[in-house]
Amino acid sequence: MSILIYAETQNGSYNKSAFELASYARSLADQMGETVTAVVVNPTDAKSIERYGVNKVLEVKNPSLSAFNASSFASLISQAAQTSKSSIVLLTTSADSKFLAPLLAVKLEASYASNVVALPTSLSPFTVKRTVFTNKAFGMTEMNTDKKIIALSKNAFGLSEHVVSAEVIPFEPTLSETTQKVTGVEKATDKVTIADADVVVSAGRGLKGPENWGMIEELAEVLGAATACSKPVSDMGWRSHGEHVGQTGKPVAANLYIAIGISGAIQHLAGINSSKVKVVINTDPEAPFFKAADYGVVGDAFEVVPSLIEKLKIFKSQNS
Amino acid sequence: MKILVCISHVPDTTSKINFTANDTQFDTNGVQFIINPNDEFGLTRAMWFKEQQSATVDVVTVGDASVEPTLRKALAIGADKALRVNMIPLDGFSVAKQLAKIVQDEKYDLVIAGRESIDYNGGMVPGMLAELTGANFVNNCIKITVDGNQVNAEREIDGGKELLSTSFPLVIGGQKGLVEESDLRIPNMRGIMMARQKPLTVTEAIDSDLSTTTNKFEKPAPKGAITLVDKDNLDELINLLHNEAKVI
Ligand SMILES: Cc1cc2nc3c(=O)[nH]c(=O)nc-3n(C[C@H](O)[C@H](O)[C@H](O)COP(=O)(O)OP(=O)(O)OC[C@H]3O[C@@H](n4cnc5c(N)ncnc54)[C@H](O)[C@@H]3O)c2cc1C
Ligand SMILES: Nc1ncnc2c1ncn2[C@@H]1O[C@H](COP(=O)(O)O)[C@@H](O)[C@H]1O
């Protein structure tokens, strides 16, 4: 028996959430007396995930899988689960993993728990803690079937190294034809995405207009951060929909979330409150965000942000 | 084109979330229920297909009688008929099985569901429904156009979007982008009157085991006090973020 993880890559290299997932799997495997197997598609260095405690890597090399296809990927992961005799399959909460997870659950007749934030609180009955009500609460979910799929929330567990020596095994799943095809991808390759970012710089209606986003982009660049915005900002077309965060937008689980000219409406806070550290910059000391943040500056963004950028540049030059 | 819009009935986004009975149940006291926001975008896109491409649009909710006002609202917005499967939705898989039965019986071409519901927000039902019925599936769908059996869709991915070519039968997990916020419709008097005449059929649930049970809830730990930094002393903010919070 082995716990299986689906390890995601970007341009062939494992991404950080794959390592986080491996770290989680290792801890769970230790509790249960099992090993950890990873399945990965077209990696450049399959073995490197051994640093996070993966004992075996099922490596799929297949050019036809270079574009993501949920149904093919769900099928290959289910075949990998059979090969590794896994009753537990772990996924991340990336857009791709959340796309394929419910398909995989049906294929394996498994129970599926998404947005899981910690190791199981009990192994019998198997119970996991997940966010519910768009981050406004947690639920304890019992998984009642033999096979289980767990999708781990980003940044919920963290990385922990546990070096082992992994055996890499070529894996050739049987794939059927699909009628659904990817015909194009539009992606800014030079920008950090909200999903991957450790730091997110977000701005709201307090910025008055799209022409004022230059300083937000610059602050993000200095911090290596992704940019985000409140819902009205994307509704008015000041920024793209992909930047809208909150209860009805993207969730943010960053290490640092900086909110500039955002009031802190309940729908906004719900989506970002799994971020570890929150900073608010707002002219109005009564803005609700001050009740939800760890650090705050009462002040005009048009003065505070440029000054913060200058000071951060100096800080970075002294600390790198 | 036969369209089914799956509607989940959820607490209004402004709701404070509380639990009763020793944290085992969601406290609905004083909570207003609405059409799940992702489903409202999908329903509005379905109305466009009805008006521009003569689609028929049915709506369905798995729930007890308390969800009927939400279904009536969908009828008032313009859906042709509503179905309710009489079952308290406790688990995504069992909800998907109920919906799959309806989709198979009625042979819908296109099922529009939401990326996730904002209550238990599992993001489970649409994909399971697609797989159970052997349909194609596009999640996080932000655009869909139909020309005969040729469907073009766009999916939001981390940091951008992906363009897909697909075909019926199809299930989508939709979200904002399918239509814009400003396209959403508030039911008018005429719509509300007409909705009263439209069929709302109730069917009994088929047997389905619960694959998961969530019977205990917790609220996030209360937040500690904020540390305020003077706007003329931003070095202090950097110092705190570096040395205390260790995030830069
Ligand atoms: C169904 C529904 C779903 C929703 N989902 C979301 C969601 O997912 N995400 C989301 O963000 N919102 C959501 N909302 C909207 C939410 O209720 C708020 O309206 C929104 O978050 C407010 O955006 P804002 O803070 O940018 O703007 P405002 O509330 O207008 O706040 C602007 C803030 O900027 C400050 N300010 C003004 N000038 C300056 C300056 N020069 N410097 C610094 N600060 C300044 C002001 O003091 C104020 O606090 C939703 C609403 C509904 C009804
Ligand atoms: N009880 C339900 N009845 C009808 N549709 C539902 C129900 N629950 C979820 N759905 C649909 O599935 C989507 C995703 O829900 P969930 O998997 O619960 O996050 C929702 O946006 C709805 O379209």
Side-chain angles (χ1 to χ4, degrees), chain B residues 142-189:
Chain B
I142 50 173
K143 193 169 176 183
I144 176 166
T145 58
V146 174
D147 183 4
N149 192 34
Q150 171 59 42
V151 183
N152 290 314
E154 287 179 17
R155 165 174 88 99
E156 187 175 78
I157 53 174
D158 297 330
K161 62 184 179 186
E162 189 178 86
L163 318 181
L164 296 142
S165 139
T166 183
S167 57
F168 292 145
L170 171 68
V171 178
I172 65 167
Q175 62 183 62
K176 186 166 88 171
L178 280 179
V179 298
E180 293 304 316
E181 184 80 18
S182 53
D183 298 326
L184 295 178
R185 300 174 186 193
I186 298 160
N188 57 23
M189 217 31 183

Side-chain angles (χ1 to χ4, degrees), chain A residues 5-313:
Chain A
I5 70 170
Y6 165 51
E8 286 169 282
T9 57
Q10 199 169 6
N11 304 325
S13 308
Y14 290 111
N15 53 25
K16 191 176 153 198
S17 50
F19 292 146
E20 185 178 16
L21 198 59
S23 307
Y24 180 95
R26 181 73 257 161
S27 291
L28 182 57
D30 288 346
Q31 270 185 26
M32 301 180 67
E34 296 197 14
T35 58
V36 179
T37 303
V39 58
V40 59
V41 179
N42 298 329
T44 42
D45 180 5
K47 204 168 156 49
S48 59
I49 199 164
E50 66 187 9
R51 195 146 60 97
Y52 296 92
V54 172
N55 307 94
K56 200 183 276 182
V57 182
L58 299 176
E59 181 182 27
V60 181
K61 278 190 182 156
N62 186 336
S64 76
L65 295 171
S66 61
F68 178 80
N69 178 307
S71 120
S72 307
F73 278 58
S75 164
L76 86 83
I77 297 167
S78 92
Q79 293 172 49
Q82 269 148 23
T83 302
S84 60
K85 299 197 176 51
S86 301
S87 59
I88 297 180
V89 181
L90 302 178
L91 307 170
T92 69
T93 41
S94 71
D96 287 351
S97 281
K98 281 192 136 180
F99 189 0
L100 70 82
L103 309 181
L104 182 62
V106 173
K107 283 185 201 296
L108 291 174
E109 293 181 45
S111 49
Y112 168 38
S114 56
N115 307 322
V116 170
V117 294
L119 284 169
T121 52
S122 138
L123 292 178
S124 172
F126 198 96
T127 311
V128 288
K129 181 176 178 177
R130 357 181 348 247
T131 56
V132 291
F133 293 96
T134 38
N135 286 315
K136 289 179 183 173
F138 298 105
M140 299 299 170
T141 298
E142 274 181 39
M143 306 183 75
N144 307 329
T145 54
D146 286 346
K147 291 188 179 145
K148 300 172 181 71
I149 300 172
I150 296 174
L152 179 68
S153 288
K154 187 199 149 196
N155 237 345
F157 190 75
L159 297 177
S160 63
E161 286 196 19
H162 178 119
V163 182
V164 295
S165 174
E167 180 190 0
V168 179
I169 302 164
F171 181 60
E172 288 177 32
T174 328
L175 298 172
S176 41
E177 271 297 301
T178 53
T179 54
Q180 184 162 303
K181 298 260 179 315
V182 174
T183 54
V185 176
E186 290 172 20
K187 189 170 170 176
T189 45
D190 55 334
K191 285 189 80 181
V192 191
T193 67
I194 295 171
D196 290 336
D198 289 329
V199 181
V200 172
V201 174
S202 187
R205 200 145 56 179
L207 281 228
K208 317 269 188 296
E211 66 283 3
N212 297 325
W213 248 262
M215 62 181 187
I216 301 299
E217 304 243 338
E218 193 180 350
L219 178 59
E221 200 181 309
V222 178
L223 290 167
T227 51
C229 69
S230 66
K231 177 168 178 285
V233 165
S234 75
D235 286 345
M236 290 182 295
W238 295 0
R239 301 294 288 179
S240 77
H241 285 318
E243 284 199 0
H244 161 199
V245 296
Q247 188 172 8
T248 56
K250 284 200 176 66
V252 182
N255 287 333
L256 172 61
Y257 182 77
I258 305 182
I260 302 161
I262 296 177
S263 57
I266 185 168
Q267 299 100 340
H268 187 87
L269 297 177
I272 60 96
N273 70 9
S274 351
S275 295
K276 302 242 153 71
V277 175
K278 283 150 263 177
V279 175
V280 52
I281 300 171
N282 196 306
T283 40
D284 175 9
E286 301 298 320
F289 218 120
F290 283 100
K291 293 208 169 59
D294 302 280
Y295 302 97
V297 180
V298 179
D300 185 342
F302 295 96
E303 290 164 24
V304 175
V305 175
S307 155
L308 185 60
I309 292 170
E310 288 320 308
K311 289 181 189 299
L312 276 169
K313 281 184 180 162

